Amino acid sequence: MKTTQEYLDIINDALLAVSYPVEPADLYDPVKYQLDMGGKRVRPLLALIACDMCGGCVDDVLPAATGIEIFHNFTLLHDDVMDKADIRRGRPTVHKAWSENVAILSGDAMQIISYQMIGRTPADVLKPVFDLFSATALQICEGQQYDMDFEGREDVTEDEYIGMIRLKTAVLLGCALKTGAYVAHAPQETADALYRFGENLGLAFQLQDDYLDVYGEPSKFGKKIGGDILNNKKTYMLISAMRMAEGEEREELARLLNSVSVSPEDKIKGVTSLYTSLGIDRLAMDKIDFYYRNALAEIEGIPGCEPLRLFASELMQRES
Amino acid sequence: MKTTQEYLDIINDALLAVSYPVEPADLYDPVKYQLDMGGKRVRPLLALIACDMCGGCVDDVLPAATGIEIFHNFTLLHDDVMDKADIRRGRPTVHKAWSENVAILSGDAMQIISYQMIGRTPADVLKPVFDLFSATALQICEGQQYDMDFEGREDVTEDEYIGMIRLKTAVLLGCALKTGAYVAHAPQETADALYRFGENLGLAFQLQDDYLDVYGEPSKFGKKIGGDILNNKKTYMLISAMRMAEGEEREELARLLNSVSVSPEDKIKGVTSLYTSLGIDRLAMDKIDFYYRNALAEIEGIPGCEPLRLFASELMQRES
C-alpha cells in the first residue's frame, strides 16, 4: 500500500497524461482548464485504495479512476452553468472565462472522454465497470435535477434532501470504490460493502460541506462562507432550522430568507446565529458522525481495510 | 432483407421500448419528448441495413443503432440551446418548452443513455463498436465547435466548411454503417468501405440540407425556408457566393449580409436571387452529386450492397 500523497501523485500524473487534440482550442482548452483547477481527487483516490487493498493492480484501475474524476469535473462544469456560478476553486468558471456555449460543449466532450477512459478497463471486468459507471452517471443527473427542483419548493423534507445528495454526491464515491473492487476481482460481497461504505462516506462528506459553508474557517475554506445561506439553498441545516424554529425565531428566519432589504452580510450573520441558537451546528455534526460511523461499520472485518479507514478519517478532518 | 419501412418500424419500436424512470419528470420527460419528435432515423437505418447486408443479425445491432439515434438527438437538443433555436420539427425545442437548465441536463442524461445502449452490443464486438462510437462522438463535438467558430469569421474556405460538416454530420453516418459491419463480423475492408460510403453520403446529405434551406419547397421542407440566409450561416452556398461575386453583385451581397435595415423577407429574396444569378444552385447540386457518386463508388463490388444503394437514392430524392 502507498500513502495518500503517493496515490494522489499517480492520479494527477494520469490526468496530465490524458492527451487531447490541440484543435479546436475552444473545445479542448476548457477541458484542460477544468481539470487543472485541482481538487481533492477523492473519487479516484478511493478507487485506487480499494483496488490496492483488495489485491488488485493499481495500474489496471487507473484509467477508470481517471474517467470517474473527469466525469466528476464534467458535472461541476455543467452545474456551474446551471447555477450561474462565477467562481470555482478561486478561478473563473468555464462559462465565465469563455462562454456558456463553450461550457456546454466542452462539458459534453468531457463526458465522452470519461467514457473513453472507462473503456480502457481490462476486458475481463469492463462490462460490470461500464454498467456501474453508466447507472451512477444517470443517478447523478437525477440528483442534480432534484437539487434544482428543490430550489422552487419550501416543503423539502430531510429524507428528500438526503435522497438528493445520495444521488448527486454519494453514489459516485460508492461507484469509485466498487470499481476498484471489481478490477481487483474482489468477492461480490466485498464490492457491495465497499459501495455502501462509499455511499455513507459520501453523505457524511456532503453534509460536512454544508456545515463548512456556514461554520468553516474563511481563510481555509477556499470559497466564500455563507454561499448556501445567501442562495436559500435547502441544505440539511436550513431544512432542520425551518422544522425546528418556533415563534419569534420562526418569524426571524422567514424574514431573513424572504426579505430583499437585508444585506448579504446581515443575512449570513442572522441565519448563522439562528442555526447556533437552535443547535443546528450540533445536529449537523451528529448527522455527519452518524453517516461516518455507518460507513466504517460497513467495512469492519474486511481484511486490509485500514488504509480506507485512515483516508476516511483524514477526509472527515478537512477544513476545506 | 427488409424494406426501409420495415427497418424503420423496428427502430421506432426499439426507441419506444427504451425504459426510463418516471422521476424526476423534468429529467426524463424531455428525453422522451425529444425522441418523439420523429425524424428520418437515417443513422440507425444505415446501421441495420449494413448489418443485414453483411449477413449479421439485425437484433444484435439494434441496441447500438438505437444508441446512435439517441446520441444524434442529444446533439440536436444541445445544439438548439447553443443556437437559441425555438422550433425543431414543428415543435418548441426542449429549452423553450421547459428551460435551458432542463435542456442541458436532460441532454447530459441522453448521452449516458446512448452509451448504455451501446453497452448492450454483443460482447465479442463491443470493444471496436464502443471505441468507434466514442471517437465519433468527440468528432461531432469538434464539428459543432468549428461551426460556432465560423460564425465569427468572414474568411471560412470551402475546404474548412467541408471539414466541419464532415465532423458534425458525416462521421456519424459512417460510424452507423461501420457498427453494422462490425456486428456482422464483416471483413475490415468492407467495414472501412462502408464507413467511407457513409462519410461521403453524409457530406452529400448536409450539402443537400443547405440547398433545401434556400431552394426547398416551403410546404414540404418542414422548417422555414431561408433560415441559414437570415443567420448569415457560412454554408457552402454563401462561401461560394462570397468567393464568386464581383463588382455590383459583391456590393449587393455585402449590403444584404451586413445591413440591419433590410427586412428578413427582402434579405432571403435578395440573397437567393444573387445565388441564382451566380449559378450557386447549379454548383451546389453538382457538389451534392459529386459526394453522392463518391459514396456509391465506395461500395461498388461489395456483395449485397443493393439495399444500401436504394436507400441512398431515396435519401437523395428527399424534399425535407
Side-chain angles (χ1 to χ4, degrees):
Chain A
M1 297 295 293
K2 298 175 169 59
T3 65
T4 302
Q5 187 57 49
E6 285 170 328
Y7 289 124
L8 196 58
D9 290 343
I10 294 174
I11 291 158
N12 282 324
D13 286 350
L15 282 166
L16 281 174
V18 179
S19 68
Y20 309 96
V22 175
E23 296 283 344
D26 277 0
L27 183 66
Y28 293 112
D29 285 353
V31 176
K32 284 177 269 185
Y33 178 86
Q34 180 76 15
L35 292 172
D36 277 352
M37 282 185 177
K40 289 178 279 292
R41 314 296 190 203
V42 172
R43 295 149 193 84
L45 277 171
L46 289 171
L48 263 58
I49 296 171
C51 181
D52 211 353
M53 70 172 254
C54 293
C57 171
V58 166
D59 281 348
D60 288 345
V61 80
L62 194 54
T66 309
I68 288 169
E69 181 64 13
I70 294 173
F71 187 87
H72 170 60
N73 276 273
F74 142 71
T75 65
L76 298 180
L77 202 171
H78 273 194
D79 284 3
D80 284 342
V81 175
M82 293 183 249
D83 298 345
K84 308 207 181 302
D86 294 353
I87 301 285
R88 155 95 42 202
R89 293 181 186 132
R91 290 164 68 178
T93 49
V94 169
H95 69 101
K96 277 282 158 186
W98 280 268
S99 69
E100 206 173 288
N101 282 356
V102 161
I104 294 172
L105 194 61
S106 57
D108 292 344
M110 284 178 88
Q111 207 180 345
I112 298 161
I113 294 166
S114 66
Y115 265 106
Q116 287 184 314
M117 298 307 297
I118 296 291
R120 294 195 202 164
T121 300
D124 61 337
V125 289
L126 176 58
K127 185 73 178 144
V129 167
F130 175 89
D131 287 346
L132 173 64
F133 177 74
S134 291
T136 305
L138 212 46
Q139 286 179 310
I140 294 168
C141 291
E142 294 175 5
Q144 169 66 3
Q145 184 60 50
Y146 282 122
D147 198 11
M148 296 197 293
D149 288 347
F150 290 177
E151 279 172 30
R153 283 181 48 197
E154 297 298 319
D155 59 348
V156 180
T157 65
E158 186 186 316
D159 281 354
E160 285 182 307
Y161 180 72
I162 297 292
M164 184 275 284
I165 63 172
R166 185 185 302 275
L167 291 167
K168 187 167 168 171
T169 303
V171 293
L172 192 56
L173 273 69
C175 166
L177 286 149
K178 199 169 191 173
T179 297
Y182 278 152
V183 171
H185 302 97
Q188 186 65 39
E189 60 197 42
T190 303
D192 291 339
L194 286 174
Y195 183 89
R196 292 190 303 268
F197 165 81
E199 222 181 350
N200 281 285
L201 187 66
L203 293 174
F205 181 78
Q206 184 56 51
L207 287 166
Q208 192 187 35
D209 222 55
D210 298 351
Y211 177 88
L212 289 171
D213 196 84
V214 178
Y215 292 105
E217 176 63 50
S219 65
K220 293 177 180 159
F221 187 51
K223 46 186 173 178
K224 214 172 163 301
I225 296 291
D228 290 349
I229 292 176
L230 286 184
N231 294 321
N232 288 1
K233 218 163 149 44
K234 309 285 182 320
T235 63
Y236 172 75
M237 311 190 71
L238 181 54
I239 292 167
S240 302
M242 287 166 84
R243 193 187 67 232
M244 290 165 65
E246 289 178 350
E248 276 178 27
E249 287 184 322
R250 189 175 193 86
E251 280 167 37
E252 171 68 356
L253 183 60
R255 187 185 69 84
L256 288 165
L257 293 180
N258 301 319
S259 168
V260 286
S261 62
V262 183
S263 75
E265 293 72 29
D266 287 348
K267 184 169 178 174
I268 295 170
K269 221 175 132 185
V271 173
T272 303
S273 97
L274 267 176
Y275 282 172
T276 308
S277 80
L278 288 165
I280 305 285
D281 52 343
R282 198 59 250 162
L283 204 68
M285 286 177 71
D286 286 349
K287 201 78 179 175
I288 294 164
D289 201 50
F290 170 77
Y291 287 113
Y292 176 51
R293 281 167 195 275
N294 275 359
L296 294 182
E298 291 291 352
I299 53 168
E300 213 170 273
I302 296 183
C305 73
E306 199 44 38
L308 212 48
R309 292 175 64 94
L310 191 67
F311 178 74
S313 143
E314 286 168 10
L315 196 64
M316 285 293 113
Q317 282 159 34
R318 72 189 171 118
E319 293 183 302
S320 71
Chain B
M1 297 293 293
K2 298 176 169 60
T3 65
T4 301
Q5 187 57 50
E6 285 169 328
Y7 288 123
L8 196 58
D9 290 343
I10 294 173
I11 291 158
N12 282 323
D13 286 350
L15 282 166
L16 281 174
V18 179
S19 67
Y20 308 96
V22 175
E23 296 284 345
D26 277 359
L27 183 67
Y28 293 112
D29 285 353
V31 176
K32 284 178 268 184
Y33 177 87
Q34 179 76 14
L35 291 172
D36 277 352
M37 282 184 176
K40 288 179 279 293
R41 314 295 190 203
V42 172
R43 295 149 194 84
L45 277 171
L46 289 171
L48 264 59
I49 295 171
C51 181
D52 211 352
M53 70 172 254
C54 293
C57 171
V58 166
D59 281 348
D60 287 344
V61 79
L62 195 53
T66 309
I68 288 170
E69 181 65 12
I70 294 172
F71 187 87
H72 170 60
N73 276 273
F74 141 71
T75 65
L76 299 179
L77 201 170
H78 273 195
D79 284 2
D80 284 342
V81 175
M82 293 182 248
D83 299 345
K84 308 207 180 302
D86 294 353
I87 300 286
R88 157 97 38 205
R89 294 180 186 133
R91 290 164 69 178
T93 48
V94 168
H95 68 102
K96 276 283 155 186
W98 280 268
S99 70
E100 205 174 288
N101 282 356
V102 162
I104 294 172
L105 193 63
S106 58
D108 292 344
M110 283 179 89
Q111 206 179 347
I112 298 161
I113 295 165
S114 66
Y115 265 105
Q116 287 184 313
M117 297 307 297
I118 297 291
R120 294 195 202 166
T121 300
D124 60 336
V125 290
L126 176 57
K127 185 73 179 145
V129 167
F130 175 89
D131 287 345
L132 174 64
F133 177 74
S134 291
T136 305
L138 212 44
Q139 288 179 307
I140 294 167
C141 292
E142 294 176 5
Q144 169 67 3
Q145 184 60 51
Y146 282 122
D147 199 10
M148 294 197 296
D149 287 347
F150 290 177
E151 279 171 30
R153 282 181 47 197
E154 296 298 319
D155 59 349
V156 181
T157 65
E158 186 186 317
D159 281 354
E160 285 181 307
Y161 180 73
I162 298 293
M164 183 276 283
I165 63 173
R166 186 185 300 275
L167 292 167
K168 186 167 169 172
T169 303
V171 294
L172 192 56
L173 273 70
C175 165
L177 285 149
K178 200 169 190 172
T179 297
Y182 279 151
V183 170
H185 302 98
Q188 187 64 41
E189 61 197 44
T190 304
D192 291 338
L194 287 175
Y195 183 88
R196 293 190 301 268
F197 165 81
E199 221 181 351
N200 280 286
L201 187 67
L203 293 175
F205 181 79
Q206 184 56 51
L207 287 166
Q208 192 187 37
D209 222 56
D210 298 350
Y211 177 89
L212 289 171
D213 196 85
V214 179
Y215 292 106
E217 176 63 50
S219 64
K220 292 176 181 160
F221 186 52
K223 45 186 173 178
K224 216 171 161 300
I225 296 291
D228 290 347
I229 291 176
L230 286 184
N231 294 321
N232 289 0
K233 218 164 150 39
K234 309 285 182 321
T235 63
Y236 172 75
M237 311 191 69
L238 181 54
I239 291 167
S240 303
M242 287 166 83
R243 193 187 65 232
M244 291 165 66
E246 289 178 348
E248 274 179 29
E249 286 184 322
R250 189 173 191 86
E251 280 168 37
E252 172 68 357
L253 182 61
R255 187 186 69 84
L256 289 165
L257 293 180
N258 302 319
S259 168
V260 287
S261 63
V262 183
S263 75
E265 294 72 30
D266 287 348
K267 183 170 179 175
I268 295 170
K269 220 173 133 187
V271 173
T272 304
S273 97
L274 266 176
Y275 282 172
T276 309
S277 79
L278 288 165
I280 305 285
D281 51 343
R282 198 59 250 162
L283 204 67
M285 286 178 71
D286 286 349
K287 201 78 179 175
I288 293 165
D289 201 49
F290 169 78
Y291 286 113
Y292 176 51
R293 281 168 196 273
N294 276 359
L296 294 182
E298 291 291 351
I299 53 168
E300 214 170 87
I302 296 183
C305 73
E306 198 45 39
L308 214 47
R309 291 174 65 94
L310 191 68
F311 178 74
S313 143
E314 286 168 10
L315 197 62
M316 285 294 112
Q317 284 159 34
R318 72 191 171 118
E319 293 182 302
S320 71

